[in-house]
Amino acid sequence: MVINSLSVQQLYRQIFRYEAKVVFSAVAIRHLLLVVILVCNFGCREDADQSQLAFYEGPYRTSFKVELLHSDSAIVRTKLMADKQLEFKNGDAEFPEGVVIHFFDKEGELSTTIRADRGYLDRKTNIYRGEGDVQVHNLVKEQKLNSEELFWDKSKKKIYTEKFVTVEQPDRIIKGTGMEADEGFNEYKFTKVTGVIDNVL
């Protein structure tokens, strides 16, 4: 009986020691895995680029083949067209692939066009700006304007620039710096005229 009793006690101790070792091993493995994960997260992490954490100020929406119409008394007065438009959260817009604006007379007939390589809209002032090769063509008076920059104040219905301007009329070509006109380019005035050439063609 004593031998059997000792055998049971020894067996009991062996079992519980074995189970303790198993429990300890499982806990140890969990802790080891946690340490490995933390070391990898902190050790392998690259320093964050602070510039990429800055507030995003780029366009939040891009539109293609844009046509914006403005009408008055059920007659279209202006039509803006662009292949691509970028819109910003503050309301500003950019036309990186060019912009075309058509102006219509009281009868709804096309009277004047403005074309620019690039266009911008300042929503706060409601002023459009054209850059690059800017061309204005009054179809009725057959007069054209060329400049590298032109502003269209939609509220005041006028166009203007401080850059060098060339105005071509059927009978003459006028060159100057700075110009202001009504949005239909019917009447205009130069800030400074630098040359007048009679057009003999």
Side-chain angles (χ1 to χ4, degrees):
M1 291 294 288
V2 175
I3 294 173
N4 288 341
S5 182
L6 287 173
S7 297
V8 170
Q9 286 178 357
Q10 288 174 355
L11 183 61
Y12 182 82
R13 285 186 193 131
Q14 289 294 331
I15 290 171
F16 276 98
R17 263 189 255 160
Y18 178 75
E19 286 181 354
K21 288 178 183 177
V22 171
V23 171
F24 175 76
S25 297
V27 171
I29 289 172
R30 280 192 209 126
H31 285 296
L32 183 60
L33 285 174
L34 181 62
V35 170
V36 169
I37 291 170
L38 290 174
V39 168
C40 285
N41 281 343
F42 288 102
C44 300
R45 189 187 69 167
E46 296 180 8
D47 290 337
D49 185 357
Q50 295 297 322
S51 65
Q52 298 205 4
L53 300 177
F55 181 72
Y56 178 69
E57 296 181 355
Y60 77 99
R61 181 165 54 194
T62 302
S63 304
F64 299 92
K65 302 298 180 184
V66 176
E67 285 191 5
L68 302 175
L69 303 175
H70 175 259
S71 60
D72 182 22
S73 302
I75 298 176
V76 175
R77 299 300 184 190
T78 60
K79 180 180 180 181
L80 182 147
M81 296 164 287
D83 288 336
K84 184 177 182 180
Q85 174 180 299
L86 306 177
E87 297 177 71
F88 299 83
K89 285 196 173 183
N90 63 358
D92 292 351
E94 181 178 338
F95 310 96
E97 297 179 7
V99 62
V100 178
I101 304 172
H102 287 176
F103 295 90
F104 300 88
D105 59 22
K106 294 179 180 180
E107 286 72 39
E109 297 294 325
L110 178 63
S111 60
T112 305
T113 63
I114 297 177
R115 297 177 184 274
D117 291 338
R118 295 174 304 280
Y120 305 88
L121 167 63
D122 185 326
R123 181 65 67 184
K124 188 175 180 181
T125 59
N126 204 25
I127 293 176
Y128 288 82
R129 175 168 53 95
E131 287 184 351
D133 181 15
V134 184
Q135 302 174 14
V136 182
H137 186 192
N138 183 312
L139 304 173
V140 178
K141 291 194 169 185
E142 296 183 0
Q143 59 189 21
K144 299 178 182 178
L145 176 151
N146 285 87
S147 185
E148 63 184 44
E149 181 181 62
L150 186 73
F151 294 88
W152 171 39
D153 189 328
K154 189 175 178 182
S155 302
K156 295 181 180 179
K157 296 185 176 183
K158 69 175 184 178
I159 57 175
Y160 60 92
T161 184
E162 295 179 357
K163 303 290 186 179
F164 182 78
V165 182
T166 299
V167 173
E168 184 178 345
Q169 296 178 332
D171 59 341
R172 61 181 179 170
I173 297 173
I174 306 171
K175 298 179 182 290
T177 305
M179 186 274 324
E180 183 177 319
D182 62 284
E183 65 182 9
F185 190 46
N186 295 296
E187 303 294 332
Y188 62 88
K189 61 181 180 181
F190 280 92
T191 303
K192 180 181 179 182
V193 175
T194 58
V196 178
I197 304 171
D198 291 332
N199 194 352
V200 294
L201 296 178

